[in-house]
Amino acid sequence: MPSPRTKPKTDARAALLSLLARKSFRLGEFKLSSGGTSDYYIDCRTTTLDAKGSRLTGEVFFAEIRQHKWKPQAIGGLTMGADPIVTAVSVVSGELHGFLVRKAEKQHGTGQRIEGFREKGARVVIVDDVCTTGASTVQAIEAAREFGFVVVGVMCLVEREDAKGRPNVEKAAGAVPFVSIFTANDVRKEHILQNDDTQPGIFAVAAACEVCGRPAVTNSPRNRCAVHKS
């Protein structure tokens, strides 16, 4: 069986990493939902909700699922981080159903917490965008099992590796493998490479100046036009 850390090299994977580094990664000083602080922030939804990013996300996740031979019937995760991933994989695969896990049961109607695919006993994969402490992934695992799903795999788009997320998820998952598509370090390295103006040909075409919107001539440290580059 392939190792949960195995990462096959594909054009889609490389393109997705490039997009994450350009659209979702920011250096600075940020407060995290966990209460801690970090010198970087990753907002995966700016990539997973991008037209091209959505397709790439679906392709990469589905390829990983097939590689591990989990043979799920559906994929799902805690709203909202998982929402675009679930949709993308379902559409790209043409065969995997999707479900979303509410953070709490509805207080009206049927009062259900699982939305979408609802077949008890089905094999499912839990997905998430960023794993920091792993709390949202753990909630989704627990809710899926409580409903009656059989969790066969757990995946995240980016693993931060700095807040005990993996141990927390692996404890909740038990014998089920936890796979991260990328680590935060992978995305950081790509982001720095893209913004290193000593590397010819790295600069992203069609970037706009963050001040005035004119075509940018530099992206180190920010996208700036000729007027505002200094």
Side-chain angles (χ1 to χ4, degrees), residues 185-218:
N185 195 45
D186 294 332
V187 185
R188 177 193 285 267
K189 287 180 178 178
E190 177 66 18
H191 176 82
I192 292 173
L193 181 63
Q194 289 180 6
N195 289 276
D196 181 359
D197 58 10
T198 67
Q199 298 292 327
I202 295 297
F203 182 63
V205 177
C209 176
E210 296 177 12
V211 177
C212 66
R214 295 188 184 94
V217 298
T218 180

Side-chain angles (χ1 to χ4, degrees), residues 114-176:
I114 303 290
E115 299 287 356
F117 179 79
R118 290 170 55 85
E119 184 177 314
K120 293 183 182 295
R123 296 166 61 86
V124 304
V125 171
I126 300 298
V127 297
D128 209 341
D129 57 358
V130 178
C131 177
T132 304
T133 65
S136 60
T137 310
V138 170
Q139 286 185 59
I141 292 170
E142 293 175 345
R145 285 177 171 160
E146 183 179 348
F147 172 77
F149 287 143
V150 177
V151 178
V152 296
V154 181
M155 303 176 68
C156 75
L157 180 54
V158 179
E159 180 185 351
R160 285 188 61 103
E161 297 184 300
D162 58 8
K164 299 182 179 180
R166 176 167 286 274
N168 292 337
V169 172
E170 289 182 333
K171 181 179 179 181
V176 174

Side-chain angles (χ1 to χ4, degrees), residues 48-100:
T48 58
L49 288 169
D50 176 85
K52 181 180 179 181
S54 178
R55 175 178 57 79
L56 292 170
T57 298
E59 291 176 0
V60 171
F61 269 79
F62 187 48
E64 194 80 39
I65 289 169
R66 287 185 296 180
Q67 182 200 1
H68 286 83
K69 300 180 180 179
W70 290 328
K71 298 181 180 180
Q73 295 164 260
I75 61 164
L78 192 73
T79 191
M80 317 177 34
D83 296 12
I85 298 174
V86 170
T87 302
V89 178
S90 182
V91 170
V92 167
S93 72
E95 60 186 61
L96 297 181
H97 303 294
F99 67 91
L100 300 176

